[in-house]
Amino acid sequence: MASDHEPENARGPLRPAEPRQRAKDRGTFTILGLTLLGSLIPGTGYLLAGRRKLGAAVLAVSVMLLAVVAYLGLTRREQIIELAVTPQKLLYATLGLIVLGLAWIAVIITSHRALRPGTASEATRVIGAAFVGLLCFAVAVPTAMGVQTARTQRDLVKSVFAGKDSESATRPNVENKKDPWAAKPRLNIMLLGADDGPDRDGVRTDTVIVASIDTATGDTSLISLPRKLMFMPFPKGTKLHEAYPDGFGKDGISLQARLEWMLDAIYKNVPAAHPGIVGRSDNEGADILKLAVGEATGLTMDYYVQVNLAGFTGLVNALGGITVNINYPIPVGGSDDAKRPPNYYLKPAQNKHLWGLEALWYARGRYQIPNPDDARSARQRCAIHAIAEAATPANLLKSYQKLAAVGKNMVRTDIPQDLLPAFLDLGLKVKSAKVSEVPLDGQKLKFAYPHPDYDGLRATVAAALASKPVTPTTPVKPRTTATPVKPRPGTTTTPGTTTPTADLADACEYHPVETP
């Protein structure tokens, strides 16, 4: 029995060793709970283990990082946008995520070791190691996903968008990178659908749409040009105008020969006949088209975005499909020239969900459809609208890796990388703004004739862009069958309507018509 004169340490540990004694007294589940707390709030594990200075320092750094993230997210949207589309900053973000993830894992491991008693049983050590491994895995997985996303985004930006070494004969020279729209009320982007593939001779741009964007509001007007337009003009004073003073076309030739002198043949045939005619360019066909389309519409084409329609199916599938209204039977497959009937038809339906292949034929099917080019152009505008609707933030985040892989193989553009923050900010405006069509009267403008009325086309476009937006018409009550209905104002009863309403969402509503 100990006497009153025995030293203090004979009856128990000295006071400075009390944290270790408390560690001995903790049960296995208590240690795991404290380790979890130390993982969720880095630094608290050290504090509970008695390592106050280290715990306070780690906790302070954790709180500071959270505060910075919250501040940037709430007040600095521009910086976040710039980070997402700037390759150099994405590289820094990748390295930062790696360092942060490794540091967090180190904190988890060392916090557990500090909390675990040195005399812990073998079972406690095994359970603790497994639990710590699970926590480290929970940190490593999102960190790896973040690193992979940042790397994918960086690769996408560098692959698709024009870098410093890119060359363009028509791209504007922008001095004010931070606010390129300060003195530019409208931005005109030429959208090309390149119908290339293994069974095609070269690239033909079957789809040519001009997106004219109000840079203040994001309101966008779409102008669709029929692919069979002949004698497309070129600006005076250019070598193109010298080569084709009357426009890209030829009189006195057969209908078959005309196919090589239409709008959809410019991309391939002009560079082949006159290499280097526009100067140094990464995509000579697109630059030539920008000049021709600009001259025909009276607008200056600032940039182009070229989509390979062969990759369109991948884009739609990556988004999880698109939802459209089908107002008349649309052929899937088929060729009028080869007299080959379609495999089947997409039947009229409201809010029809389409996957890649059927969405592609929704946008391009024309077998035995009256006014096939007009009808197809109208559906393509609706397909663009449906894709924009499907591209919600949640959907983009969920399918980002697939979308990035598809985008690298299907998109070409001369939009420079250093303007991407401004473009992304403008894109957010467009997403919530109004998208309209510029109605073109093909008969009045003589689109089906060898010499269309380009003066009239320019006047029509100028008047449409100068006027106030048309109030959308009252939609017709949807029907569930493809029976004839009374036409709405601004529409016709044939699929090839050339006088659509101004509002694109309204024009793409469900209003079934007679089978063509």
Side-chain angles (χ1 to χ4, degrees):
M1 184 172 181
S3 67
D4 295 339
H5 300 288
E6 289 178 298
E8 178 70 15
N9 61 349
R11 296 196 303 267
L14 295 174
R15 191 170 300 276
E18 286 181 355
R20 184 172 295 279
Q21 179 62 43
R22 289 199 298 269
K24 290 182 180 179
D25 296 338
R26 295 184 187 120
T28 300
F29 291 106
T30 301
I31 294 172
L32 297 183
L34 295 177
T35 300
L36 177 61
L37 178 63
S39 303
L40 296 176
I41 309 176
T44 56
Y46 297 129
L47 293 173
L48 293 170
R51 304 178 66 176
R52 294 180 176 83
K53 290 184 178 180
L54 178 59
V58 173
L59 182 61
V61 171
S62 302
V63 172
M64 182 182 67
L65 288 175
L66 287 174
V68 169
V69 170
Y71 173 75
L72 292 176
L74 294 174
T75 64
R76 290 292 185 268
R77 188 184 71 167
E78 295 79 7
Q79 281 79 356
I80 295 177
I81 290 176
E82 187 173 356
L83 168 64
V85 293
T86 305
Q88 190 64 32
K89 293 186 178 181
L90 284 168
L91 177 60
Y92 295 150
T94 301
L95 297 175
L97 284 172
I98 293 174
V99 171
L100 184 62
L102 292 175
W104 198 349
I105 290 174
V107 167
I108 293 173
I109 295 173
T110 54
S111 294
H112 177 72
R113 289 178 64 85
L115 289 164
R116 187 190 67 191
T119 59
S121 66
E122 187 66 23
T124 298
R125 290 175 179 272
V126 171
I127 294 173
F131 185 68
V132 168
L134 182 63
L135 291 176
C136 292
F137 181 76
V139 171
V141 169
T143 300
M145 291 179 62
V147 169
Q148 181 62 28
T149 299
R151 291 181 60 188
T152 301
Q153 174 69 5
R154 183 170 182 265
D155 186 37
L156 175 66
V157 170
K158 294 185 68 175
S159 300
V160 174
F161 297 95
K164 294 181 179 179
D165 298 330
S166 66
E167 295 179 324
S168 171
T170 58
R171 186 171 57 209
N173 182 27
V174 178
E175 297 293 340
N176 186 358
K177 309 292 186 186
K178 293 294 184 182
D179 188 8
W181 328 130
K184 193 173 187 64
R186 300 201 73 87
L187 178 72
N188 300 311
I189 301 177
M190 183 180 68
L191 309 177
L192 301 177
D195 199 6
D196 53 329
D199 59 339
R200 303 281 295 188
D201 179 19
V203 177
R204 288 181 179 268
T205 53
D206 283 0
T207 300
V208 178
I209 299 175
V210 176
S212 185
I213 305 170
D214 186 317
T215 57
T217 65
D219 289 344
T220 303
S221 298
L222 299 180
I223 307 162
S224 297
L225 298 183
R227 67 189 184 94
K228 291 186 177 181
L229 286 177
M230 290 186 66
F231 287 94
M232 284 286 292
F234 293 107
K236 293 181 178 179
T238 64
K239 292 182 179 180
L240 285 165
H241 186 269
E242 294 176 6
Y244 304 99
D246 297 322
F248 182 73
K250 182 178 289 188
D251 288 315
I253 57 178
S254 66
L255 292 176
Q256 184 65 27
R258 288 183 184 180
L259 297 177
E260 301 301 322
W261 293 94
M262 294 178 176
L263 171 59
D264 66 348
I266 290 178
Y267 185 98
K268 180 187 74 168
N269 290 350
V270 174
H274 305 279
I277 193 169
V278 291
R280 301 175 68 89
S281 172
D282 292 337
N283 190 342
E284 198 172 8
D287 275 330
I288 292 171
L289 268 177
K290 284 173 69 176
L291 294 172
V293 171
E295 185 68 13
T297 59
L299 304 173
T300 298
M301 296 297 107
D302 298 297
Y303 303 96
Y304 79 89
V305 176
Q306 179 178 330
V307 178
N308 173 9
L309 294 182
F312 180 82
T313 57
L315 172 64
V316 173
N317 287 336
L319 285 171
I322 61 174
T323 301
V324 297
N325 293 311
I326 302 176
N327 292 314
Y328 53 88
I330 298 173
V332 175
S335 171
D336 290 304
D337 296 333
K339 301 187 184 306
R340 184 179 68 250
N343 300 320
Y344 61 94
Y345 286 84
L346 299 176
K347 297 180 180 179
Q350 185 178 18
N351 295 328
K352 178 68 174 178
H353 190 79
L354 300 178
W355 290 94
L357 183 60
E358 289 190 338
L360 176 63
W361 283 105
Y362 168 84
R364 67 181 295 185
R366 61 183 181 182
Y367 178 81
Q368 292 188 352
I369 290 180
N371 300 319
D373 289 336
D374 290 341
R376 189 164 69 163
S377 293
R379 296 197 310 271
Q380 286 170 352
R381 293 190 292 270
C382 293
I384 293 173
H385 182 72
I387 289 174
E389 290 293 315
T392 61
N395 208 10
L396 291 176
L397 183 62
K398 179 182 68 175
S399 307
Y400 181 74
Q401 296 292 336
K402 292 180 180 178
L403 288 168
V406 171
K408 284 176 57 179
N409 297 320
M410 69 174 291
V411 178
R412 293 184 69 181
T413 182
D414 60 350
I415 295 175
Q417 295 175 14
D418 55 9
L419 289 185
L420 284 180
F423 266 93
L424 195 52
D425 190 54
L426 181 61
L428 294 175
K429 290 183 181 180
V430 173
K431 177 73 176 174
S432 58
K434 179 179 177 181
V435 180
S436 306
E437 301 175 78
V438 174
L440 302 177
D441 188 337
Q443 184 174 1
K444 181 180 179 181
L445 296 174
K446 300 179 180 179
F447 283 164
Y449 292 83
H451 294 272
D453 181 6
Y454 289 112
D455 288 335
L457 174 60
R458 286 186 282 267
T460 299
V461 171
L465 298 184
S467 63
K468 294 182 179 180
V470 178
T471 303
T473 56
T474 302
V476 171
K477 184 178 180 179
R479 294 173 178 259
T480 57
T481 58
T483 55
V485 296
K486 184 178 180 180
R488 300 179 305 163
T491 65
T492 69
T493 57
T494 62
T497 177
T498 57
T499 55
T501 57
D503 186 80
L504 186 58
D506 184 60
C508 298
E509 285 179 353
Y510 185 60
H511 47 89
V513 296
E514 293 181 353
T515 302

